[in-house]
Amino acid sequence: VDEGAGDTPLPFSWRGVTLHAAHAATLRIRISPATGDKLAVTVADGHGNPVATIDQVVARPVAADALGAAGNRHRHLYEVSWQPVPTPAAATGTWTALDVDAELPETAPGTAVVTLDPPGTPPAAVHGATERLLGLLRRWLTHPAYAHSTLALLTRDAVGAGDTPVDPTAAALWGLVRAAEAEHPGRFVLVDTDDSGTDHLAAALATGEPEVAVRDGGLLVPRLTRVGVDAPADGGWATDRTVLITGGLGGLGSLVARHLVTRHGVRRLLLTGRSGAATPGAADLVADLTAAGADVTVAACDVADRDAVAALLADHPVGAVVHAAGTAENALVDALTPEQLHRVLRPKVDAAWHLHDLTRDHDLTAFVLFSSSAGWVAGAGQGNYAAANLFLDALAQRRRADGLPATSLAYGLWATGTGMGGHLDDADLHRMRRLGMPAMSTDEGLALFDAAVAAGRPTTVPVRLDLDALRRRTDALPAVLRGLVRTAARPTAAGAGAAADGPPLAQRLAGLSDADRDTLLLDLVRTHAAAVLGFPGPASVEPGRAFKDLGFDSLAAVEFRNVLSTVTGLRLPATLVFDHPEPTALARALKADLVVPDADPAGAVLADLDRLEKALTEVPGAEHARLTARLEAVLRGWQDRTGRPDDDTPHDYESATDEELFDVLENELGLS
């Protein structure tokens, strides 16, 4: 390829692309000339088996400045778009209406509908409404009669799926329910309307989607889509005005402070934290920022306290706000306490609302909120955090609708030691990678910070997604991710040509012997336990060892239960690994649910004998004596247990021919 100075050849067009297999651990790529300026590409796995072939690739030189412009289109920057789905024809349904504070009836309905209409003004309204909803969710999840019932939550204007203003308080309720749905797939449905009626509720429930917005009579569902960023990534950082960074002395806050100074030339910073200058590492951070040319002020301030925020802003007029303060206190929804809920809401919800309300007239150039993708996906164990961050996203949308600057960044996981991911261990990080959401590096996170601010959207989702890992997930893919990948099964590099899928598990078990059923189910349990724990394979999971000793915690137990629910088709309880504490016991429990006992045990034995008789015709003559002896032993054992038939004439088995022996066996067992 002819290149100009500084030009880079990049693939321009592709022809004849064929995928033969996927998921190869190692790739060998061979590039060879085809015709003219075209190249041919052959891809094989580590054993030389074909993975992909490309008949023709054409490369064209791209100038360095063009590459720089293209680089602004960050492939890990997403947004949630609400996309139409067909309205189910003649959708009908019945449900039981309940109040959010009501005790659950002893007789569980198939579907219950609760209308959520949180009154009041944030932040008090958020605390009150989420605590009431948490009480309902805990009652629903812990009531044994409701394990197979569906709870539909009906809200109004909780999501930005149209032109109507978003209610941030209602949005927080969606975050809490999303976490419950992630922990208990299929048990909850969220329906948001642009009116106060239930005219379209039956249609929304009939879609089978866990989240539906009704707008002007049509149905919309959330899907994550990529955001293209073509504008210069400078954002609203006026170098001569003070930027307030809440949580500015913590992990992400300090990274953003350094970035604004070194990348955007910001010269005045106001960094807050509850401990102020006494925060570990604060002195070193200030020294570094000062050396880089910034004027830095550190203030001790509880930004969840309105009076403290008002005093801070009175002493330090600001031109931009970055709200990075927050805390995490993880627990599954059915165990989450009101105290844990409020402790996590305060530094997110209360602080964001006070900053919003007290800076309305400050002519800010930027108002950036650090949110989390836990509000949209992967919120299991983080119901309080998901609720808090959905409030931030909705607040940003509300501010934009009011003509105020706002950007909420629903970040995915950052690298270990940074932000809320600092408490995660290797098992947690492995879990996130396996689920297709690996941690992003610091450089990636800061580049996405710039891209999100420049994108001009009120809410973006900067999250690193591994699409191949999403395709390989063995649990049900979260609905919001379904627009990114196709999850139909593909052949693997090790087994190309194998069936893409098979019959349902219960059907497979029905065609097996009892011993083979036990083997298959134990293998299934050990295989998925190993995957959840990050072990090399099922052999690493001892059949008789307790799950808790293998390393299962509450989140691993939830994921394991969800995977087994997907592959078995059963709605399994959250207490699965506690009710059946080791693999062998769990395999037995699954067998009891999946295998219908034979109504005619004798008929099943006769069917086995039919198969045996057919198999015996294939046995070579040299093996007849050995098989005859075994059949005689079986027959004698049977007669010892059941007694001889009425005809007690002794048989000379020693001198009987094979044909005579089979004749006796058929007569004894009623086969003739």
Side-chain angles (χ1 to χ4, degrees):
V1 178
D2 293 332
E3 301 176 27
D7 289 353
T8 302
L10 293 177
F12 175 74
S13 66
W14 310 74
R15 292 188 60 186
V17 179
T18 303
L19 179 65
H20 303 290
H23 308 155
T26 302
L27 291 179
R28 296 177 179 177
I29 301 175
R30 182 172 182 269
I31 302 175
S32 58
T35 59
D37 60 349
K38 302 175 180 64
L39 303 172
V41 180
T42 302
V43 183
D45 64 16
H47 302 288
N49 300 314
V51 173
T53 52
I54 306 170
D55 294 341
Q56 293 182 355
V57 179
V58 177
R60 292 286 185 266
V62 178
D65 57 351
L67 281 175
N72 285 331
R73 302 187 64 84
H74 294 277
R75 64 190 184 95
H76 294 307
L77 187 63
Y78 299 87
E79 65 180 343
V80 176
S81 64
W82 289 84
Q83 302 176 358
V85 293
T87 300
T92 59
T94 59
W95 53 79
T96 299
L98 298 177
D99 184 82
V100 66
D101 297 312
E103 290 298 322
L104 299 178
E106 285 304 313
T107 302
T111 301
V113 174
V114 174
T115 299
L116 302 175
D117 186 17
T121 302
V126 179
H127 285 268
T130 53
E131 181 174 344
R132 294 170 68 199
L133 177 58
L134 176 62
L136 171 64
L137 297 180
R138 291 188 59 177
R139 294 194 299 276
W140 186 270
L141 291 171
T142 56
H143 197 305
Y146 283 71
H148 298 283
S149 299
T150 299
L151 177 61
L153 288 309
L154 186 62
T155 61
R156 181 174 180 180
D157 300 329
V159 296
D163 297 329
T164 55
V166 181
D167 179 356
T169 300
L173 302 181
W174 270 57
L176 184 57
V177 178
R178 276 192 179 129
E181 167 67 16
E183 295 165 14
H184 303 273
R187 297 195 61 184
F188 301 95
V189 178
L190 284 161
V191 180
D192 191 69
T193 70
D194 51 4
D195 57 42
S196 57
T198 60
D199 294 344
H200 304 284
L201 181 57
L205 295 175
T207 63
E209 291 276 344
E211 300 177 14
V212 181
V214 181
R215 295 294 185 269
D216 298 324
L219 305 182
L220 306 172
V221 297
R223 295 292 187 262
L224 212 59
T225 58
R226 279 199 171 94
V227 175
V229 182
D230 295 317
D234 293 327
W237 311 113
T239 59
D240 59 342
R241 301 186 67 187
T242 298
V243 177
L244 164 63
I245 305 178
T246 70
L249 303 170
L252 294 184
S254 62
L255 289 175
V256 171
R258 296 177 192 274
H259 182 68
L260 292 180
V261 171
T262 59
R263 169 67 177 82
H264 296 283
V266 170
R267 288 295 171 261
R268 296 180 182 177
L269 291 175
L270 173 59
L271 309 180
T272 70
R274 291 176 63 91
S275 300
T279 303
D284 291 338
L285 174 64
V286 171
D288 290 346
L289 294 172
T290 302
D295 180 6
V296 184
T297 299
V298 173
C301 181
D302 177 4
V303 288
D305 182 329
R306 182 183 177 88
D307 292 339
V309 175
L312 178 75
L313 295 174
D315 292 339
H316 306 280
V318 300
V321 172
V322 177
H323 179 36
T327 188
E329 196 167 338
N330 295 348
L332 298 176
V333 168
D334 56 2
L336 185 65
T337 67
E339 292 75 20
Q340 290 173 311
L341 174 69
H342 298 311
R343 282 196 293 267
V344 170
L345 290 179
R346 285 190 76 253
K348 287 280 189 179
V349 171
D350 298 42
W353 183 260
H354 299 328
L355 290 166
H356 153 69
D357 197 37
L358 294 170
T359 62
R360 287 178 188 269
D361 302 322
H362 279 50
D363 190 27
L364 300 181
T365 60
F367 189 91
V368 180
L369 302 166
F370 268 56
S371 177
S372 170
S373 61
W376 295 96
V377 65
Q382 295 182 294
N384 46 8
Y385 198 59
N389 286 294
L390 253 293
F391 176 89
L392 300 189
D393 295 344
L395 177 60
Q397 295 176 55
R398 191 61 177 260
R399 283 179 59 90
R400 285 289 181 118
D402 292 342
L404 300 172
T407 302
S408 185
L409 293 83
Y411 265 116
L413 181 65
W414 286 56
T416 305
T418 305
M420 299 301 165
H423 66 283
L424 300 181
D425 58 21
D426 289 342
D428 294 320
L429 295 174
H430 169 82
R431 172 177 171 270
M432 296 303 294
R433 287 194 300 270
R434 191 181 63 259
L435 294 179
M437 290 168 281
M440 68 185 76
S441 69
T442 298
D443 288 344
E444 284 178 312
L446 293 174
L448 289 169
F449 174 88
D450 289 342
V453 173
R457 271 102 164 149
T459 301
T460 59
V461 185
V463 57
R464 188 177 180 191
L465 294 177
D466 181 344
L467 301 188
D468 195 43
L470 292 180
R471 295 185 189 97
R472 295 197 304 268
R473 284 179 62 154
T474 52
D475 61 342
L477 191 69
V480 75
L481 301 177
R482 292 175 188 167
L484 296 174
V485 297
R486 293 178 298 174
T487 55
R490 291 183 177 182
T492 65
D501 53 17
L505 181 59
Q507 184 178 333
R508 292 170 57 199
L509 292 169
L512 298 177
S513 68
D514 201 55
D516 287 341
R517 291 167 180 168
D518 292 338
T519 299
L520 186 150
L521 288 171
L522 183 57
D523 286 347
L524 181 144
V525 168
R526 296 172 70 194
T527 296
H528 290 293
V532 168
L533 295 171
F535 290 176
S540 304
V541 178
E542 300 171 34
R545 190 176 181 190
F547 286 114
K548 62 182 180 64
D549 294 335
L550 288 167
F552 271 87
D553 59 13
S554 57
L555 277 181
V558 165
E559 183 189 350
F560 184 48
R561 185 277 311 272
N562 291 347
V563 169
L564 289 182
S565 293
T566 300
V567 299
T568 63
L570 301 172
R571 182 171 284 188
L572 300 170
T575 56
L576 187 68
V577 300
F578 305 105
D579 298 338
H580 313 287
E582 42 88 13
T584 301
L586 178 52
R588 284 197 301 266
L590 293 177
K591 179 182 175 182
D593 288 335
L594 289 166
V595 178
V596 178
D598 293 319
D600 179 13
V605 174
L606 292 175
D608 284 340
L609 286 173
D610 287 339
R611 288 191 290 270
L612 173 62
E613 183 179 18
K614 182 178 179 181
L616 287 171
T617 64
E618 309 284 332
V619 176
E623 298 292 333
H624 283 190
R626 185 158 62 97
L627 291 177
T628 298
R630 178 68 176 126
L631 289 169
E632 288 176 353
V634 171
L635 182 57
R636 284 195 298 272
W638 167 258
Q639 291 177 335
D640 288 342
R641 288 191 301 273
T642 63
R644 290 183 177 272
D646 294 338
D647 179 9
D648 288 331
T649 303
H651 297 286
D652 182 9
Y653 293 114
E654 297 296 330
S655 60
T657 66
D658 292 343
E659 290 77 9
E660 291 171 336
L661 180 63
F662 289 131
D663 185 62
V664 170
L665 183 61
E666 289 178 346
N667 288 330
E668 295 287 348
L669 297 180
L671 298 177
S672 58

